[in-house]
């Protein structure tokens, strides 16, 4: 984590956000802050715009109103050079990995390195190998194509690529979706270890209750087009709201809580 990042209490500040598709409003007057060095999980029912919120923060969905500040900079008012500098300080793992199918895992990880850094191929390959190892993949995975990988390996390859530029923030969109319970638990452990060893800030969209319990410092709940609750999970789950009670106190919520307590 750089000294520049440490200067901010909130590395991400979203205020008064409005997003919409045509006449359909997804978010209205949404506020959320992300603290340096935390893992924050964003949850909500289907259609509440969890992934849309993430895309608005990283510049893939321009909001209709509101501000998005990252590292103290107003992202949407910044010029192209300033936005590029901000983007180089984060990494993104999309659902399914979003790997380039025609490139090997190593080449996928090298892609952002080649685009943004003036490094020799040999050094780029060494960095890619390091990131692949950090993501928990075997050494020979670098030479494989996405079609040769399991679902869990694709997630880890995507994570390796998101770490390519030594980011300070990592955005994860449903990182454990489609994984078996053992694979999901190992991925959760990996995220926590990387956060602690690299000082990462993690913004994670998820619906996985086990992941929330295992990884998150805080949880933000989307409903009614905004964030209706945000805080430590044990506090959020006590919020008197119908969806929150159904989500956290239903059978799966009670099962996840029992696992944490055991």
């Amino acid at each position: 984590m750089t000294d520049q990042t440490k200067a901010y209490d909130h590395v991400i500040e979203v205020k008064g956000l409005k997003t919409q598709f045509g006449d359909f409003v997804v978010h209205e007057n949404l506020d959320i802050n992300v603290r340096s060095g935390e893992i924050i999980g964003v949850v909500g029912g289907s259609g509440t715009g969890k992934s849309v919120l993430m895309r608005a923060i990283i510049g893939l969905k321009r909001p209709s109103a509101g501000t998005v500040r990252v590292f103290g900079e107003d992202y949407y008012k910044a010029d192209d050079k300033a936005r590029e500098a901000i983007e180089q300080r984060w990494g993104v793992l999309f659902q399914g990995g979003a790997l380039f199918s025609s490139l090997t895992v190593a080449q996928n990880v090298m892609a952002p390195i080649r685009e943004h850094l003036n490094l020799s191929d040999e050094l780029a390959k060494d960095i890619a190998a390091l990131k692949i190892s950090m993501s928990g993949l075997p050494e020979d995975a670098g030479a494989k194509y996405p079609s040769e990988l399991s679902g869990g390996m694709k997630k880890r390859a995507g994570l390796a690529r998101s770490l390519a530029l030594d980011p300070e923030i990592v955005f994860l969109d449903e990182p454990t979706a489609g994984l078996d319970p053992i694979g999901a638990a190992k991925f959760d452990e990996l995220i926590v270890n990387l956060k602690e060893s690299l000082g990462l800030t993690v913004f994670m969209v998820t619906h996985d209750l086990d992941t929330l319990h295992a990884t998150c410092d805080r949880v933000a709940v989307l409903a009614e087009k905004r964030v209706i609750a945000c805080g430590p999970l044990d506090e959020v789950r006590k919020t008197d709201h119908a969806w929150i009670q159904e989500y956290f106190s239903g059978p799966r919520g009670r099962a996840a809580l029992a696992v944490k307590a055991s």
Side-chain angles (χ1 to χ4, degrees), residues 28-74:
E28 183 82 68
N29 200 29
L30 182 151
D31 297 340
I32 186 171
N33 294 325
V34 180
R35 300 167 182 164
S36 177
E38 75 171 343
I39 299 178
I40 186 168
V42 177
V43 302
S46 178
T48 54
K50 300 181 293 296
S51 295
V52 174
L53 173 58
M54 189 189 88
R55 289 172 175 269
I57 295 172
I58 64 176
L60 297 181
K61 171 59 180 173
R62 191 177 188 94
S64 301
T67 59
V68 176
R69 301 183 70 86
V70 185
F71 305 120
E73 293 273 351
D74 189 323

Side-chain angles (χ1 to χ4, degrees), residues 26-33 41-45 48 50 53 218-231 235-248:
V26 181
H27 304 125
E28 183 82 68
N29 200 29
L30 182 151
D31 297 340
I32 186 171
N33 294 325
V42 177
V43 302
T48 54
K50 300 181 293 296
L53 173 58
R218 291 193 302 149
V219 175
V221 181
L222 293 186
E224 302 166 12
K225 302 180 182 179
R226 59 188 176 86
V227 175
I228 62 168
C230 186
E235 293 180 8
V236 169
R237 65 192 300 271
K238 297 174 184 176
T239 303
D240 186 18
H241 185 278
W243 188 87
I244 291 176
Q245 288 303 308
E246 183 177 5
Y247 182 69
F248 289 105

Side-chain angles (χ1 to χ4, degrees), residues 31-261:
D31 297 340
I32 186 171
N33 294 325
V34 180
R35 300 167 182 164
S36 177
E38 75 171 343
I39 299 178
I40 186 168
V42 177
V43 302
S46 178
T48 54
K50 300 181 293 296
S51 295
V52 174
L53 173 58
M54 189 189 88
R55 289 172 175 269
I57 295 172
I58 64 176
L60 297 181
K61 171 59 180 173
R62 191 177 188 94
S64 301
T67 59
V68 176
R69 301 183 70 86
V70 185
F71 305 120
E73 293 273 351
D74 189 323
Y75 178 82
Y76 285 101
K77 288 186 177 179
D79 59 29
D80 290 344
K81 184 177 181 180
R83 276 199 300 270
E84 183 177 353
I86 293 170
E87 291 165 0
Q88 288 186 40
R89 297 171 69 184
W90 70 46
V92 184
L93 170 59
F94 294 100
Q95 289 190 45
L99 300 170
F100 298 113
S101 60
S102 61
L103 302 181
T104 65
V105 170
Q107 290 169 338
N108 266 279
V109 179
M110 290 169 64
I113 298 172
R114 286 173 165 164
E115 180 177 355
H116 295 288
L117 303 179
N118 184 24
L119 300 178
S120 67
D121 273 358
E122 182 178 358
L123 183 53
K125 289 177 182 177
D126 288 343
I127 294 173
L130 173 62
K131 304 303 181 180
I132 290 168
S133 174
M134 288 170 61
S135 69
L137 287 170
E139 185 177 349
D140 62 358
K144 294 183 178 180
Y145 288 90
S147 60
E148 301 175 280
L149 304 179
S150 66
M153 292 178 73
K154 287 179 182 178
K155 299 270 191 181
R156 290 175 182 267
L159 180 63
R161 187 176 62 186
S162 76
L163 297 173
L165 299 179
D166 294 330
E168 296 161 58
I169 304 173
V170 174
F171 293 89
L172 308 177
D173 194 359
E174 299 286 5
T176 57
L179 300 183
D180 64 79
I182 295 175
K186 289 182 177 179
F187 200 92
D188 291 342
E189 183 178 359
L190 173 64
I191 294 303
V192 173
N193 288 341
L194 288 173
K195 175 248 186 181
E196 292 176 349
S197 61
L198 302 178
L200 293 174
T201 301
V202 180
F203 182 100
M204 176 168 54
V205 172
T206 186
H207 68 278
D208 191 325
L209 283 157
D210 290 328
T211 293
L212 293 175
H213 282 285
T215 66
C216 292
D217 299 296
R218 291 193 302 149
V219 175
V221 181
L222 293 186
E224 302 166 12
K225 302 180 182 179
R226 59 188 176 86
V227 175
I228 62 168
C230 186
L233 192 149
D234 287 342
E235 293 180 8
V236 169
R237 65 192 300 271
K238 297 174 184 176
T239 303
D240 186 18
H241 185 278
W243 188 87
I244 291 176
Q245 288 303 308
E246 183 177 5
Y247 182 69
F248 289 105
S249 299
R252 293 192 178 191
R254 292 195 300 270
L257 186 61
V259 169
K260 180 187 178 184

